[in-house]
Amino acid sequence: MPNQPSARKIGGYIMWVTFAAGCVTSTLFMTACAPNFLALEFIREIAGVEITYLQWMLASAPFALPLLLLLPILTYVFYPPQTKGGHEVPAWAAEELQKMGPLSGRERILSALVLLAITLWMFGGAYVEATTAALIVISLMLIMRVVSWKEMAGNHTAWTTLTLLATLVTLAGGLSRTGFVKWFADGVAAHMGGLSPTFTIIALVTVYFCSHYMFASLTAHTSAMMPVMLAVGLGIPGVPADKLALALALTTGIMGVITPYATGPGLAYYESGYLPSADFWRLATIFGFIFLGALLAIGVPILLAR
């Protein structure tokens, strides 16, 4: 099917919308992308700033929600499907939903536990730590047999993130305590003197976003660049640490759209056969500008105004 031009173009439209939407939701929700937590730990260790789930949502929603809603329309403009109508797809989708049947008991329990986790993250910060809330929900998932320990132990991405949090974040905290981060920040900030705090944040976010062309992983990029960007920004007088930190953190998900190798799922979409190489790179460039533009033109000004 991917070898047929019309089918490939229809599938390519759907694939790109799905891929790009995943990048947007990774920024929209703090819990949607593992490197988000790595970024938050660096921010806590280096900048001394705590970012809550609610603060993240209030900062991300003004630009990420419009992007998410406009994605199908924007993709239709830049990569329209050749076939724009037909009864086969709705009929097939209805048939597949019928085959799946109603929600199972495990699926209902999982839905309730997800809502519990989100509620605790948003409104329970005064009573329970975010990590404790996550552990409570995970424990309930195991107790209620929503997932098995074998399935949980096989989640390599989660364990990799845990390992990084235990090593790289500890290293970042040590560098901060020994004065290395301050020394580095002072050295770089000397070359950025005279820039306003607003322009400094915009410049650092842009550099942070565009530098992802050199990385094949959001986690690797966050590990290497987040401490550097924080150090530079904090070394410039007048730059608000909390707003700089949040602006950089919100960049993590959306920058995954710029190359096929920018994030793990990108390669799966790239190799699907529905998105030819030239089309993928063209769309990646276009939507990279759109995503960064939305963050700088909508997200950062609203963040700074608060």
Side-chain angles (χ1 to χ4, degrees):
M1 182 175 174
N3 293 325
Q4 301 173 10
S6 60
R8 187 174 68 180
K9 199 65 179 289
I10 297 170
Y13 170 83
I14 297 171
M15 284 286 186
W16 183 260
V17 171
T18 306
F19 167 62
C23 296
V24 175
T25 54
S26 293
T27 282
L28 177 61
F29 301 106
M30 186 175 77
T31 54
C33 184
N36 287 346
F37 291 98
L38 188 60
L40 291 175
E41 289 297 327
F42 280 130
I43 290 168
R44 184 180 295 114
E45 290 288 343
I46 297 174
V49 174
E50 293 279 350
I51 298 174
T52 66
Y53 190 95
L54 185 58
Q55 287 174 326
W56 184 293
M57 278 295 298
L58 292 176
S60 65
F63 76 93
L65 274 178
L67 279 179
L68 194 61
L69 295 174
L70 289 173
L71 259 178
I73 299 174
L74 292 171
T75 306
Y76 191 90
V77 172
F78 295 110
Y79 199 59
Q82 292 177 338
T83 302
K84 299 177 175 62
H87 303 289
E88 295 83 0
V89 174
W92 170 81
E95 183 180 348
E96 291 299 312
L97 286 173
Q98 189 173 8
K99 288 180 183 178
M100 291 173 65
L103 287 173
S104 66
R106 293 172 62 188
E107 290 169 337
R108 294 177 189 275
I109 293 172
L110 177 61
S111 300
L113 291 177
V114 169
L115 290 176
L116 173 62
I118 293 175
T119 302
L120 290 175
W121 283 328
M122 293 185 70
F123 306 109
Y127 309 101
V128 59
E129 289 286 338
T131 304
T132 304
L135 290 174
I136 291 172
V137 172
I138 290 172
S139 300
L140 290 174
M141 288 171 63
L142 289 169
I143 293 170
M144 297 180 179
R145 301 183 183 277
V146 175
V147 294
S148 67
W149 175 251
K150 183 178 181 181
E151 292 171 328
M152 191 168 291
N155 192 333
H156 303 297
T157 301
W159 292 111
T160 299
T161 302
L162 182 63
T163 302
L164 290 171
L165 288 174
T167 55
L168 294 174
V169 175
T170 303
L171 175 62
L175 292 174
S176 180
R177 287 191 296 273
T178 57
F180 174 82
V181 172
K182 184 178 185 303
W183 169 81
F184 178 83
D186 291 342
V188 176
H191 299 283
M192 298 184 67
L195 298 181
S196 68
T198 299
F199 186 80
T200 298
I201 292 176
I202 290 175
L204 290 176
V205 167
T206 302
V207 170
Y208 188 59
F209 184 96
C210 295
S211 64
H212 194 53
Y213 276 103
M214 300 183 293
F215 293 89
S217 163
L218 291 174
T219 301
H221 185 201
T222 303
S223 303
M225 296 296 294
M226 178 61 79
V228 175
M229 295 294 103
L230 286 172
V232 172
L234 295 176
I236 299 174
V239 174
D242 55 340
K243 300 183 187 304
L244 167 67
L246 191 48
L248 289 172
L250 292 176
T251 311
T252 302
I254 57 173
M255 66 186 177
V257 79
I258 62 176
T259 68
Y261 54 82
T263 182
L267 290 173
Y269 288 98
Y270 183 67
E271 297 292 342
S272 67
Y274 290 97
L275 282 165
S277 179
D279 292 346
F280 197 109
W281 280 98
R282 180 174 65 85
L283 290 170
T285 302
I286 293 171
F287 280 84
F289 277 114
I290 292 173
F291 286 8
L292 178 59
L295 173 59
L296 296 180
I298 301 174
V300 171
I302 292 177
L303 179 62
L304 292 174
R306 288 182 178 146

